[in-house]
Amino acid sequence: MAFKIAIVGRPNVGKSTLFNRLVGRRLAIVHDLPGVTRDRREGEGGIADMSFTVIDTAGLEDAHDGSLEGRMRSQTERAIADADLVLFLVDARAGVMPLDAVFGEHLRKSRTPVVLVANKCEGKAGAPGLYESYSLGLGDPVPLSAEHGTGLDDLYEALRPYAEKHGGLRPLSEDEDAAAEAGIDDLEDGDVNAAAEQALAARPLQLAVVGRPNVGKSTLVNRLLGEERMLTGPEAGLTRDAIAIEWSHAGRLIRLVDTAGLRRRANITGSLERLSVSNTIEAIRMANVVVLVLDANAILDKQDLTIARLVVEEGRALVVAVNKWDSVDNRAEALQRLQDRLDTSLQQVKGVPTVTMSALQGNGLDRLMAAVVGIYELWNHRVPTAQLNRWLEEMTERHPPPAVSGGRRVRLRYMTQVRTRPPTFAVFSQRADELPESYNRFLMNGIRESFGLAGVPIRLSVRKRRNPYADKD
C-alpha cells in the first residue's frame, strides 16, 4: 500500500512548489496569486530511496459553508484523512500568521501525524519565522526552500520513521549493515527499484529537441521523421507549442518532442510566448534525453549555456547537436571553441556527447541518434553495490576525507546507488554533516571516471547511518 503524504497550509506558502519538487516535474501550476490550486492533485514522488504518493491541496481557508472556499477546505480535509502523514507548510519569511495558528490547532487534534515545514528558508530572512513556528506546538520545524531545493536531506530524515512504518522506504538490512562493517566484498547488488526501472525502460524514449529560435529544431525533427511534419521557414518562432510525435528508430520506440525556441528572459514579451517557454521547459523536465541544437555560426552563446544548465539541473541526459555544419569554413577552430566552452561552463557533466550535423542536408543524423541511445543507456546505468563499496574503500585509502572537528577524519562506511535516471548515489557516515562539499565533488568525479558515466548528471547525498542499537535498552 502506497505511503501517502498530504501537503497543507494557508494559501501561497509554497505547497504546489514543494509538490513539484517532490514529484520531480512541474505538474502543479505555481503562481503568486493565492488560490490557484483548487482541487487535490496526486503524483508519485520520492527523495533518494524513499517513495510515496504526494497530494497537493488547496490553501486552508477559514470557511465551512458551501462557498468555493468552503468546498476547497472540504477537499483538503479529505486529503488529510486519506493521508498517512501531513506536511504542514508555513511561510518562514512571513512568520506565523493567525490562520497558521488556527490550522495548527486543528491539525494537532487530527489523527494523522503532522510534520511542520518552514518553507522559504533560503538566506537569513526566514530565520525569525523558523523560530517563531515552534509556537505552533507541532514539534521541531524542518527548514526548507522548495523553490531552491535546499533542506531535502532534513525533510528525508523527518519522513523516514513514517516511511519505514508504511513501506515507503527500503532500509538497509542487518546483513547489509554487517557487510558494510566487513568490507562488503560479497554483497549482491541492492537494486531497490529494479521493477520500477524495468517498467520505465519499456516505455518510449522521451526525446526533446530544444535550442534558441531559428537554429533548425523543426527541420531536424522533419528530417528524422522523413516527412514535413513541422512547419519550417526563415522566420524565428514558428513553433509555439511543444509537439510530441511517436516515432520508431532502429526498432526502438521514441516519443520525439519539438519545442519552441528559448530566448533570453529579458527578450520574452507577451503571454503567448511565456506559455510557449513554459511548455518547452516542461518538455525538458519530462524528457529522458534532450538534444540541444546549436547554430554552427554562433556556437554555445550565453543563452545556449543557460539551456544546457537547465537540462543538467533537471537531471536529464544531454546531447549537443551543432547544426548547419556545412556552412562552417574553419571546422577545427569551431570544434575547439565548442569544447573549451563545454569544459569551462559545464564542468558538472564532463564528456557531454557533441555531434556535428546538417538537418537541411540530412548529414550526421545516424551519429546523432547513436549518441542519443548511448547517453540514454548511461543515464539508466546501475552500478552493483559490492563494486561501489570496493571502489569507495580504494578511494578513501588513496585520498582519505579531510580531518574535521577534533582532528578526526570522517569515515565513509557504506555506499549504494539508490536510483537511476539520473544515476543517484548515497554514501553513509555517522558524521555525514561534517563532510566538506569539495570531497563530495571529488567522489562524484571519481564515480564518473571509474564507472564510465561521462556526460551524465550524477547525484550524490551523504547520510547518517542508522544506529541499530539506538532503540534498544
Side-chain angles (χ1 to χ4, degrees):
M1 188 173 180
F3 173 38
K4 282 192 174 183
I5 299 175
I7 304 175
V8 305
R10 61 181 177 81
N12 217 31
V13 294
K15 299 183 297 298
S16 293
T17 303
L18 178 58
F19 174 87
N20 289 339
R21 176 68 61 180
L22 293 176
V23 300
R25 50 197 175 110
R26 191 177 293 271
L27 290 181
I29 296 175
V30 177
H31 197 282
D32 291 338
L33 180 67
V36 171
T37 302
R38 290 180 174 176
D39 297 302
R40 288 181 293 168
R41 179 191 293 272
E42 294 190 6
E44 297 305 314
I47 307 174
D49 56 345
M50 184 186 299
S51 58
F52 42 75
T53 299
V54 58
I55 309 170
D56 185 25
T57 66
L60 280 166
E61 299 277 2
D62 193 13
H64 298 272
D65 54 15
S67 65
L68 174 61
E69 291 77 11
R71 297 197 303 273
M72 289 162 58
R73 175 173 178 137
S74 177
Q75 286 281 329
T76 298
E77 289 179 341
R78 287 177 57 188
I80 293 172
D82 291 343
D84 299 307
L85 178 70
V86 170
L87 294 184
F88 179 35
L89 260 67
V90 296
D91 185 339
R93 290 181 173 250
V96 175
M97 307 295 283
L99 269 181
D100 293 323
V102 171
F103 298 128
E105 182 178 357
H106 174 73
L107 289 172
R108 286 200 304 271
K109 299 176 182 178
S110 170
R111 291 184 295 179
T112 307
V114 178
V115 169
L116 177 62
V117 177
N119 192 26
K120 307 182 184 180
C121 274
E122 64 277 9
K124 298 180 179 179
L130 172 66
Y131 299 131
E132 189 179 352
S133 63
Y134 280 92
S135 65
L136 293 171
L138 292 169
D140 294 337
V142 177
L144 182 75
S145 172
E147 177 69 26
H148 296 86
T150 59
L152 291 179
D153 285 349
D154 292 332
L155 182 61
Y156 174 94
E157 294 299 332
L159 297 181
R160 182 167 183 155
Y162 305 98
E164 289 179 337
K165 179 179 178 181
H166 296 283
L169 179 70
R170 177 193 174 271
L172 296 178
S173 68
E174 293 183 3
D175 290 341
E176 288 171 330
D177 277 334
E181 296 287 348
I184 334 251
D185 285 333
D186 57 352
L187 185 66
E188 295 295 327
D189 181 19
D191 193 351
V192 299
N193 291 314
E197 289 170 7
Q198 289 173 5
L200 286 170
R203 297 180 183 177
L205 191 162
Q206 305 278 340
L207 176 61
V209 180
V210 305
R212 291 180 289 111
N214 216 30
V215 294
K217 300 182 298 298
S218 295
T219 303
L220 172 59
V221 170
N222 286 341
R223 181 63 69 172
L224 290 173
L225 296 175
E227 61 175 302
E228 292 297 314
R229 175 65 173 78
M230 308 301 301
L231 183 65
T232 61
E235 303 89 354
L238 283 177
T239 302
R240 286 180 166 176
D241 202 356
I243 307 298
I245 308 104
E246 297 287 342
W247 174 57
S248 180
H249 171 75
R252 181 189 291 271
L253 188 60
I254 295 176
R255 188 170 185 265
L256 187 60
V257 183
D258 186 24
T259 65
L262 287 173
R263 299 199 295 165
R264 293 183 181 180
R265 184 177 299 179
N267 296 333
I268 297 173
T269 58
S271 59
L272 180 58
E273 185 174 7
R274 284 194 290 271
L275 286 172
S276 296
V277 169
S278 177
N279 283 343
T280 297
I281 294 174
E282 178 65 14
I284 291 173
R285 292 192 171 106
M286 295 292 290
N288 304 140
V289 181
V290 176
V291 173
L292 173 58
V293 182
L294 311 180
D295 188 326
N297 297 299
I299 290 181
L300 215 61
D301 70 0
K302 185 175 181 180
Q303 179 62 7
D304 292 326
L305 285 172
T306 299
I307 299 170
R309 291 190 185 104
L310 172 62
V311 174
V312 173
E313 287 169 3
E314 292 295 333
R316 307 301 96 184
L318 175 65
V319 175
V320 175
V322 185
N323 193 26
K324 307 179 185 179
W325 192 243
D326 52 328
S327 66
V328 175
D329 294 326
N330 192 335
R331 298 184 177 182
E333 180 183 338
L335 276 178
Q336 187 60 50
R337 187 166 66 253
L338 171 62
Q339 195 58 53
D340 290 344
R341 293 296 301 276
L342 288 173
D343 289 344
T344 57
S345 302
L346 285 178
Q347 296 183 8
Q348 65 271 43
V349 282
K350 293 180 179 179
V352 170
T354 59
V355 178
T356 57
M357 51 166 285
S358 170
L360 191 61
Q361 303 298 327
N363 299 330
L365 300 189
D366 288 341
R367 288 186 287 111
L368 174 63
M369 291 310 301
V372 167
V373 173
I375 199 71
Y376 176 73
E377 290 175 352
L378 284 182
W379 192 63
N380 282 278
H381 184 66
R382 176 171 289 279
V383 181
T385 301
Q387 188 177 351
L388 263 178
N389 283 278
R390 286 193 293 269
W391 171 86
L392 180 65
E393 183 178 358
E394 293 173 1
M395 289 289 283
T396 53
E397 284 181 358
R398 291 202 306 264
H399 303 283
V404 288
S405 59
R408 298 172 53 198
R409 296 189 184 276
V410 177
R411 184 181 177 188
L412 305 182
R413 309 296 295 273
Y414 177 84
M415 190 174 192
T416 188
Q417 183 173 352
V418 295
R419 66 171 59 180
T420 61
R421 308 164 68 91
T424 303
F425 302 88
V427 60
F428 294 84
S429 170
Q430 286 300 110
R431 304 169 70 194
D433 56 341
E434 299 183 44
L435 191 68
E437 182 62 30
S438 58
Y439 199 81
N440 286 3
R441 291 194 298 269
F442 166 73
L443 291 176
M444 290 174 65
N445 289 333
I447 291 170
R448 180 175 285 108
E449 294 173 6
S450 300
F451 300 108
L453 297 177
V456 177
I458 291 177
R459 304 287 186 263
L460 175 67
S461 63
V462 184
R463 302 207 195 109
K464 190 173 182 178
R465 294 177 66 245
R466 290 185 302 109
N467 183 350
Y469 304 103
D471 299 326
K472 297 181 180 180
D473 294 330

